[in-house]
Amino acid sequence: SSFDRKICDVTGKGHILTEMTTFWFNATRDIVPNHYLKSFENYILAKKCTVIPIEFVVRNIATGSLTNRLGIEDGTVLEKPLIEFCYKNDELNDPLVAREHIYAFDWASASELNFIVPQCLRINDFMQGMFKGVGIKLVDFKLEFGRLNQDGKKNIILADEISPDTCRLWDVISEEKLDKDRFRKNLGNLFEAYQEVARRLNILHEETNISPVKFGKLRSI
């Protein structure tokens, strides 16, 4: 999977990720319900659900494991969004799987996938527009979903988080990385990059001393 779970202990990072996840869950709740209830300093309170063991990776630009696997030139803009399925298993490094694997091992049903995939595309459209407006390319990201028991039915809801830990984000001008790839590739300035994303989205309202870092300049898109 493109979105490994390596631990990265950076002071203040948890707060930014919490604020950003809260922002996106609130912004997308009209597209698909989610497990979010309330946020605190470094974590959120969420509804208990059974997480489907699949990571839904939405790609708009080819990079990372996609280019490594298929030899596609890094940075190739895809004609339309590509959705990949990865089996959630850290010991196996979240391997890529096909729909047939998902059905064969009963990780999700056809009706569940037929609901989830269009929601991934709708969320992608929405997030792309939001990011484009603040000078950021949404390169790719992953979503997770869960089953929530309500009134005797199992409803599908969005789960986990949406943040620079689960997205690839590039500055629209410089193509500087504003996401976890700064940690993966030892680029440094991880917290500053996350802070820059939050600043552009106007998320950290309580911060008064945030100044733009040199990750490109905003422009009209």
Side-chain angles (χ1 to χ4, degrees):
S1 167
S2 304
F3 304 97
D4 53 61
R5 298 270 183 184
K6 292 179 181 177
I7 296 173
C8 184
D9 185 14
V10 177
T11 301
K13 173 173 170 276
H15 178 55
I16 288 182
L17 297 185
T18 298
E19 291 293 322
M20 218 166 301
T21 293
T22 299
F23 172 83
W24 286 116
F25 277 163
N26 284 329
T28 60
R29 66 171 61 252
D30 289 338
I31 298 174
V32 59
N34 58 62
H35 70 167
Y36 173 81
L37 289 173
K38 185 177 180 180
S39 61
F40 297 89
E41 178 69 17
N42 292 313
Y43 63 94
I44 67 170
L45 179 67
K47 301 172 187 175
K48 184 178 180 180
C49 64
T50 303
V51 176
I52 294 171
I54 299 296
E55 294 181 351
F56 297 85
V57 180
V58 185
R59 298 182 181 275
N60 298 306
I61 299 173
T63 193
S65 64
L66 178 63
T67 58
N68 295 335
R69 281 185 278 116
L70 302 180
I72 297 170
E73 184 178 356
D74 189 78
T76 300
V77 177
L78 303 177
E79 185 175 339
K80 63 180 181 179
L82 172 67
I83 296 183
E84 295 181 325
F85 310 117
C86 295
Y87 175 47
K88 277 177 58 65
N89 187 308
D90 289 343
E91 293 181 1
L92 299 177
N93 199 27
D94 303 331
L96 191 70
V97 296
R99 280 179 180 260
E100 287 74 16
H101 293 105
I102 297 173
Y103 300 152
F105 301 111
D106 199 27
W107 293 326
S109 67
S111 62
E112 287 174 331
L113 285 192
N114 289 339
F115 172 78
I116 290 172
V117 169
Q119 307 316 310
C120 290
L121 294 174
R122 291 178 66 197
I123 291 171
N124 180 53
D125 286 344
F126 179 78
M127 290 178 61
Q128 270 194 302
M130 292 282 286
F131 275 125
K132 186 177 181 181
V134 296
I136 294 175
K137 294 180 182 180
L138 178 59
V139 177
D140 56 37
F141 65 102
K142 68 102 173 171
L143 296 173
E144 296 185 24
F145 292 82
R147 301 180 184 94
L148 178 68
N149 290 317
Q150 286 182 317
D151 302 323
K153 293 172 32 178
K154 288 184 179 179
N155 297 321
I156 301 296
I157 62 171
L158 186 64
D160 194 49
E161 66 175 300
I162 302 176
S163 74
D165 263 9
T166 63
C167 303
R168 277 196 176 93
L169 306 169
W170 294 351
D171 179 83
V172 76
I173 299 174
S174 67
E175 295 199 341
E176 281 275 5
K177 294 172 174 58
L178 303 172
D179 54 65
K180 198 175 179 180
D181 271 352
R182 302 201 68 83
F183 172 66
R184 297 186 186 102
K185 299 178 182 294
N186 296 314
L187 298 175
N189 295 321
L190 178 76
F191 177 72
E192 290 80 5
Y194 283 26
Q195 193 177 57
E196 176 69 2
V197 175
R199 184 190 68 80
R200 293 192 192 185
L201 290 171
N202 196 29
I203 289 174
L204 296 181
H205 305 293
E206 76 279 11
E207 297 288 350
T208 58
N209 60 348
I210 295 178
S211 58
V213 291
K214 294 180 180 179
F215 291 116
K217 298 178 181 179
L218 291 178
R219 67 175 180 181
S220 299
I221 306 297

